[in-house]
Amino acid sequence: MTSPQYQPKRTSRRRHVWLIVVLAGVLILVSRLLVATDLLHLTHRSASKPAAPAGDSGVTTATAKLHDALSDGSLTDDELHAINVTDLWYASFRTELQKPIVGSTQEEVEPDAHDKNGFAERAVTRERLTFDLRTKAFARERTIHQYSGGALSLVERDRCVGGRSYTSDTVTGKPREPWKPNVLQYNQCTQLPREDAGYISDSIATGGLTAKQADVMVGELRKEDMFLRTRQAKLVTHGTKQYIRFAVEVTPVGDHNDEGSGRFGKAFAKTGLDSGKYPYRYYNYDDEGLRFITYVDPATLLPAYSEFADTPPLDAYTGRQKEMEDGQAWELRVEYSFPGRIEPLNLKDYQDVPMGWAAEPYPPHTGDWNP
């Protein structure tokens, strides 16, 4: 038997319903107050921080500032330093990405090796490729200078003419061979091999993208602030023209410091294009970094000349550079052109592939860099 003092109190049904109604009303009132307060907060926050414009606002701002500075026909150091130079480099990169025809002359020097007699051997390759990203038509020629024992021993020339590959060799001390069909490269003048797509531009850029696709690629690269940094930018003169000389460093990022040059490929993939069919290819190992110097025409925001050097991967735990393995280091210098049409080549001369810019010291592969 339950003690009277512990008998539960009964509440009439009417009073129970009334309490429920009152509580429901209070809850509705409180929720409305909270919603109103949150809306007021959101309105205030939106007013204090407007929505970001479409595309990369930093690139847009840098481009606008540059155009304003060039209104009098030239650029000063003070005007350049008033612009975020990393934004400005990305603005140049974005501009090139949209050019339908991209031409480049690349020079790559293979590391010194030694033959069985101990003589030093080296090869200097110059490849000139002008590629139309819309039609996939191209003009292509190459010169390879082979050195043995420090002396030039052989000059190899390859040239695409009429959809066929021709070659001419000159062995030191012997007469130059006339042009003849190159049966070993019969198909490299009708369709650019996928593995050669890196000769388009400078091994990280390409052309032919729409403005939206260029924004996607640039935006993807910029998701990691530490991935690409402009170490220096200054005005220089080459010949009679003014250029902006950028010193840029690409540093591996990610949880294990393993997202290096491979981020360029991932950023291109975000455009929805197939890199194999487009084609697009970047040099370097995915987990390695880059250091490069590039000269940009401020009037067009297009690059004129660059020099690249790879940097080793970073240790996953300490973030320090690993040792550069033997034969792993590579260096590349590039001259650019952006013609309105592709000029077909012929076999009327035996001229080597020329370069108009003189080489300067490459950025160091490891250690500190003070450009």
Side-chain angles (χ1 to χ4, degrees), residues 211-280:
K212 183 177 180 180
Q213 290 168 335
D215 285 338
V216 168
M217 187 169 181
V218 169
E220 188 66 21
L221 292 173
R222 303 205 71 175
K223 285 184 177 179
E224 290 283 352
D225 291 338
M226 297 302 293
F227 171 67
L228 186 146
R229 293 173 295 160
T230 299
R231 298 285 301 274
Q232 184 193 68
K234 63 180 182 180
L235 293 176
V236 298
T237 301
H238 182 264
T240 60
K241 287 183 62 66
Q242 185 183 57
Y243 293 94
I244 305 172
R245 181 185 185 273
F246 290 96
V248 182
E249 184 159 19
V250 170
T251 303
V253 293
D255 294 338
H256 302 288
N257 299 318
D258 57 352
E259 295 183 27
S261 297
R263 282 185 64 84
F264 287 102
K266 292 180 179 179
F268 179 84
K270 291 294 184 178
T271 66
L273 298 169
D274 186 324
S275 61
K277 296 178 180 179
Y278 191 67
Y280 172 78

Side-chain angles (χ1 to χ4, degrees), residues 27 49 83 109 170 181 268 320 324 344:
L27 288 173
K49 186 178 181 181
I83 304 173
V109 180
T170 302
F268 179 84
R320 296 176 180 175
M324 182 67 77

Side-chain angles (χ1 to χ4, degrees), residues 100-167:
I101 300 178
V102 177
S104 67
T105 300
Q106 297 188 7
E107 181 183 270
E108 186 173 8
V109 180
E110 294 181 8
D112 285 344
H114 294 83
D115 63 15
K116 61 181 180 180
N117 297 317
F119 292 109
E121 293 185 326
R122 186 165 58 104
V124 179
T125 302
R126 284 186 182 177
E127 173 102 16
R128 180 160 62 181
L129 175 68
T130 306
F131 196 89
D132 189 326
L133 279 303
R134 302 162 300 185
T135 65
K136 314 307 178 189
F138 60 91
R140 184 180 189 184
E141 61 178 329
R142 175 174 53 197
T143 303
I144 303 176
H145 285 203
Q146 299 277 5
Y147 294 85
S148 180
L152 180 65
S153 59
L154 173 67
V155 178
E156 302 176 39
R157 302 177 187 87
D158 297 295
R159 190 175 292 178
C160 289
V161 177
R164 299 183 66 182
S165 176
Y166 293 85
T167 185

